[in-house]
Amino acid sequence: MSRFRPLRLAASRLRVAGSRLRPHPPRGLRARLVVAFLLAAAFGALLTAGFTFHRARAAILDRAAETAVADLRTQLDSLAPDLTLPPTAEDLRGLTGQIDQAGGARAWHASASYRGGEPVSASPGAPAVPDELRETVRDTGRAVHQRTEHDGRPWLALGMPVAYTPDEAENGDPDPGTLSGLTVYAVFPLDDDRADIDALVTAAQAGAVPALALALVPALAAARSVLRPVRRLRHGAERIAAGELDTRLDTAGHDELADLTRSFNTMAETLERDAAELRRLEAGARRFAADVAHELRTPLAAMAAVTEVLDEDAAAGVLPADTEDAVRLISEEVRTLARMVEDLMEVSRFDAKAAPVHREDVDLRTLVTKTLQLRGWAEDDRVRADLPEPAPVRVDPRRIDVVLGNLVANALHHGRPPVTIAVRACDDRVRVTVTDRGPGIPDDALPYVFDRFYKADAARPRSGGSGLGLAIAHENAALHGATLTAANRPGGGAVFTLTLPRAASSPGTT
């Protein structure tokens, strides 16, 4: 048996309206705050409206039932005493007809039964009295009402047992209040009450949109108050990222955002202090390296002059064998130390931004050829040059010579010959590659090959080099706006690639 549920209709209407108005997920923090505020307001309004609707609906239906029970009891009090017990079917039909006429605008459809018999009605075609209602009246002996539906319309069914009156008791009948066995039923439509409930639903829906529109104003104000300090924090973080470590933000209040702002200021202060300390230590280290290199140049020059004389004596065979070996060892170490000092001086110039660049228009093939000739590699079978086409560039020849010399020397020292140096010109770039046939560079060492004093094999710190060659080559490439990268060939071996901007015109070869 279905009951009249206007609340289901209201909920379904609100769900349909909500599905139509459902927005796409907001992306900005401002939009999310506003949407969250509006959703909270809508939920609160919906909850309040649903609770109010439920109570109002119950009140309307309860009032209709109580009024109907009172009216039916009044009619029975006036009509039942005239009924002869036990009544015939015609008596019951006449009683129900009188009740239907007395119902008036309520449009009752009454029926009556005696001692559990089938209800007799004066208006055929009326909705049947629910069996559940009849059983409840028979079991409890009290007036009972129940809501039901018939042909899509809501109805209210009443069942009321009739008791003996005091007048009937004086005429020899049972005591007043004793049930007589007569039960009267009445069924009438709730169209007017449903209209009142539908009006409540319409009013709730009509008030939802203005309520959400009004809630938008405090939502925007709340979002603005929350986003203002967040926006300041974003700007402050951007300034910190740009290097303005003295950035500080004003704090006001004692909420979570104010605590976050104070934490930001503390972080910025710590970063500024640590950065200043690191800059001080770095500057001190650079000064120390530059000072040491500068102070070593004079004694090393003197030592180099002495070792040259000793080398001449060793070559002439005038020195004992043991002394000759010692002289050659000392000479080699002095030359290594002199190269390291020169490299340190060059690094200090890079750090001080004092490395001069004197650009000239040259053919890169010419620079490669001169580099190989100056170092004795032009006639060396271990080094091969692949220079098929002109490669005009505008560079400092001395610095590019250093880059090429360091790359070839590194390939000979750490790889295996033959070492190939190739030049290719394409579009607006000129590319130089230096390739060896050695084992290649370990994958974990590739990101650090251009770091100062870095050596891939930590177990062999003394490898005959200063650890600055590739770092100096990388710095010289950067001075020209070029790139220098390191990688491994698929077939084995390391490959270093120097990419330079191509000059507008081709220079003559000298």
Side-chain angles (χ1 to χ4, degrees):
M1 182 188 310
S2 60
R3 299 191 177 205
F4 176 49
R5 299 291 184 185
L7 185 58
R8 294 178 182 174
L9 178 61
S12 64
R13 291 178 181 175
L14 290 175
R15 282 196 297 269
V16 171
S19 64
R20 292 175 182 173
L21 298 176
R22 185 177 299 130
H24 295 290
R27 298 186 180 182
L29 182 58
R30 180 188 183 90
R32 281 185 285 176
L33 286 174
V34 171
V35 170
F37 194 95
L38 291 180
L39 288 178
F43 177 77
L46 182 62
L47 186 63
T48 303
F51 179 75
T52 304
F53 171 81
H54 179 74
R55 296 299 300 269
R57 169 182 172 275
I60 291 173
L61 296 178
D62 291 344
R63 181 188 64 188
E66 291 173 359
T67 303
V69 170
D71 291 346
L72 182 60
R73 180 171 284 114
T74 300
Q75 297 299 324
L76 290 178
D77 289 344
S78 63
L79 298 175
D82 297 333
L83 185 67
T84 302
L85 298 178
T88 63
E90 290 299 324
D91 294 336
L92 294 178
R93 189 172 291 108
L95 175 64
T96 57
Q98 291 177 340
I99 294 175
D100 290 346
Q101 293 177 0
R106 195 178 294 276
W108 272 342
H109 299 275
S111 60
S113 67
Y114 185 73
R115 296 193 181 280
E118 287 296 323
V120 177
S121 174
S123 55
V129 178
D131 294 337
E132 182 182 354
L133 177 67
R134 294 175 59 189
E135 294 176 0
T136 304
V137 173
R138 184 175 61 250
D139 295 340
T140 61
R142 294 181 297 176
V144 179
H145 65 272
Q146 179 179 342
R147 291 187 295 275
T148 184
E149 283 192 12
H150 180 70
D151 294 335
R153 299 171 61 192
W155 295 74
L156 182 66
L158 303 176
M160 182 175 294
V162 179
Y164 289 103
T165 64
D167 293 338
E168 292 173 328
E170 292 177 357
N171 295 330
D173 291 327
D175 296 334
T178 303
L179 296 180
S180 63
L182 175 65
T183 303
V184 178
Y185 303 99
V187 181
F188 64 92
L190 292 174
D191 294 336
D192 294 339
D193 301 286
R194 183 173 67 173
D196 293 340
I197 294 174
D198 289 342
L200 285 176
V201 175
T202 302
Q205 291 179 343
V209 174
L212 288 178
L214 291 176
L216 183 61
V217 177
L220 291 174
R224 182 179 180 184
S225 63
V226 171
L227 289 179
R228 187 183 296 113
V230 173
R231 205 172 287 118
R232 287 201 303 266
L233 284 169
R234 187 194 69 186
H235 293 326
E238 290 175 350
R239 293 172 62 186
I240 290 289
E244 301 179 23
L245 300 182
D246 58 344
T247 300
R248 301 292 185 273
L249 301 178
D250 296 332
T251 58
H254 300 281
D255 56 7
E256 289 80 359
L257 288 174
D259 294 338
L260 179 60
T261 303
R262 282 188 282 270
S263 299
F264 176 87
N265 289 337
T266 302
M267 177 198 68
E269 182 179 354
T270 302
L271 284 175
E272 184 180 18
R273 184 173 59 250
D274 292 346
E277 180 65 15
L278 287 175
R279 283 194 295 268
R280 186 186 67 82
L281 293 175
E282 185 179 6
R286 289 176 177 176
R287 280 196 307 271
F288 176 78
D291 293 343
V292 168
H294 181 73
E295 294 298 329
L296 287 177
R297 293 186 71 180
T298 301
L300 279 175
M303 293 172 62
V306 173
T307 55
E308 288 180 2
V309 175
L310 293 177
D311 285 339
E312 293 177 358
D313 292 341
V318 298
L319 298 177
D322 294 342
T323 304
E324 183 178 333
D325 293 338
V327 166
R328 289 196 174 92
L329 178 61
I330 292 174
S331 298
E332 182 62 29
E333 292 299 330
V334 168
R335 284 191 291 269
T336 301
L337 186 57
R339 287 194 300 269
M340 180 179 294
V341 169
E342 291 299 327
D343 289 345
L344 287 174
M345 292 295 296
E346 186 71 3
V347 167
S348 66
R349 283 190 286 269
F350 287 136
D351 293 338
K353 309 297 182 184
V357 179
H358 304 290
R359 297 179 184 269
E360 299 178 12
D361 290 327
V362 296
D363 188 340
L364 193 56
R365 297 180 304 171
T366 303
L367 290 180
V368 172
T369 302
K370 289 184 176 181
T371 297
L372 298 181
Q373 290 175 348
L374 289 174
R375 290 164 178 79
W377 294 329
E379 306 300 330
D380 194 337
D381 294 338
R382 298 180 304 165
V383 180
R384 299 174 181 175
D386 183 7
L387 314 172
E389 56 186 355
V393 291
R394 183 172 178 78
V395 296
D396 185 334
R398 185 185 68 84
R399 295 193 176 278
I400 297 302
D401 172 75
V402 171
V403 175
L404 298 176
N406 287 353
L407 292 179
V408 175
N410 180 79
L412 290 172
H413 185 76
H414 295 285
R416 283 199 299 265
V419 174
T420 303
I421 179 168
V423 176
R424 296 290 184 273
C426 56
D427 298 332
D428 60 342
R429 314 295 289 178
V430 174
R431 184 173 293 107
V432 183
T433 57
V434 177
T435 309
D436 64 59
R437 300 298 186 273
I441 304 172
D443 292 338
D444 58 344
L446 273 174
Y448 312 105
V449 293
F450 297 113
D451 290 354
R452 297 173 184 177
F453 300 106
Y454 180 79
K455 296 183 180 180
D457 190 357
R460 297 175 60 190
R462 178 131 182 103
S463 60
S466 64
L468 293 173
L470 292 180
I472 291 175
H474 191 269
E475 294 284 355
N476 279 314
L479 289 177
H480 291 82
T483 59
L484 180 59
T485 59
N488 288 315
R489 296 174 60 251
V495 53
F496 289 84
T497 304
L498 173 66
T499 306
L500 292 159
R502 183 171 181 172
S505 60
S506 298
T509 302
T510 59

